[in-house]
Amino acid sequence: MKKPLLQVNHLTKKFGGLTANHDISFQVFEQEILSVIGPNGAGKSTLFKLISSFLRTTSGEIIFDGNKISNLAPHIVARMGIVRTFQETTIFKNMTVRESVVVAHHIRAKANLFGYFLGTSTARAEEKEFARSADEILDFLQLSSLANEVASNLPQGHLRALGIAIGLASNPKILLLDEPFAGMNHDETMQMVELVRKVRDRGVTILLVEHDMAAVMRISDRIIVLNFGEKIAEGTPAEIQENEQVIEAYLGKEEDLVGLYTC
């Protein structure tokens, strides 16, 4: 049997009297694309924050590559190989595209801050390797022509691609994508779908949260559905399309129902 790369076991998160996630369990396997969907307020973002350790769990555990990672510091989880991208790539907007990706490599740095300040041999070697790797990532994502463009000048599609480039700089085993298709037209979405597939084919497992149902149905190997903080369904796109609980959860949201049946 295929061994899971990530296991989420009976995960619960409470904020005072509010339960955002309740008893959620699922597995993620190497090089699959697993999507998490659900109506607004279903608990998707909270789940992502728990997996990436931006929030502490109330109960349950998260196992990554055989190791328990629940409640570790976020930078430790990122170094281990779980890297999250965000809806808006805001941190590096005043840098160029290439500078942004080079800087993102420093989560992998072995030299300390003083080493970089003093220009030690380790720091110089890392800077050279980070620059080489940044150029390779930009070429892979077809962003090389924009390398010297200031990030804040990028259109939405390229800004999302830059977010993925920044994520790849950390050399992730699992990349958590937060609404990678939001705000895009159909052509931009299809381009991003192909880009995410390329990243998966590179050897990176993909876990994504998304509202664009047509894109989710097209890209996903499996889908998990949350509603009111609980997992109500899990399966292939075809299975999710026919699931009565999923259909009921989306009733009244006509655009989402259309998306469920658009592949």
Side-chain angles (χ1 to χ4, degrees), residues 18-146:
L18 173 67
T19 300
N21 288 156
H22 176 66
D23 197 30
I24 296 175
S25 297
F26 62 91
Q27 298 177 334
V28 185
F29 297 93
E30 284 192 45
Q31 279 190 265
E32 79 168 333
I33 299 176
L34 178 67
S35 296
V36 180
I37 67 171
N40 289 331
K44 305 182 298 295
S45 294
T46 299
L47 178 62
F48 252 38
K49 290 174 184 176
L50 291 170
I51 293 171
S52 54
S53 242
F54 281 82
L55 286 175
R56 295 182 65 83
T57 63
T58 300
S59 62
E61 63 178 6
I62 303 165
I63 308 295
F64 172 61
D65 208 12
N67 300 301
K68 183 177 177 179
I69 63 167
S70 316
N71 303 326
L72 293 178
H75 72 277
I76 293 176
V77 172
R79 278 180 174 265
M80 293 174 71
I82 297 182
V83 176
R84 179 187 175 199
T85 68
F86 296 86
Q87 291 183 38
E88 290 293 337
T89 307
T90 56
I91 299 173
F92 304 130
K93 276 193 173 180
N94 292 324
M95 296 183 180
T96 67
V97 168
R98 186 174 186 270
E99 287 169 344
S100 299
V101 181
V102 169
V103 167
H105 279 78
H106 283 79
I107 194 170
R108 297 159 47 185
K110 295 179 181 177
N112 59 28
L113 182 61
F114 288 107
Y116 280 94
F117 180 74
L118 296 173
T120 63
S121 58
T122 299
R124 291 197 305 272
E126 285 186 337
E127 289 285 12
K128 184 177 180 179
E129 169 56 22
F130 293 165
R132 183 209 62 78
S133 176
D135 289 336
E136 186 273 326
I137 290 170
L138 293 178
D139 182 62
F140 170 72
L141 296 176
Q142 299 181 331
L143 292 173
S144 296
S145 63
L146 299 171

Side-chain angles (χ1 to χ4, degrees), residues 193-239:
V193 163
E194 291 308 313
L195 186 63
V196 173
R197 283 179 176 151
K198 279 182 61 177
V199 172
R200 186 270 306 276
D201 293 343
R202 185 184 172 101
V204 180
T205 301
I206 304 293
L207 182 60
L208 66 89
V209 163
E210 183 53 58
H211 284 287
D212 187 327
M213 291 299 100
V216 165
M217 292 298 161
R218 183 179 294 269
I219 199 174
S220 306
D221 296 310
R222 290 188 302 125
I223 299 170
I224 289 170
V225 187
L226 302 184
N227 194 30
F228 296 111
E230 298 188 2
K231 188 181 83 172
I232 62 169
E234 177 179 347
T236 65
E239 290 169 339

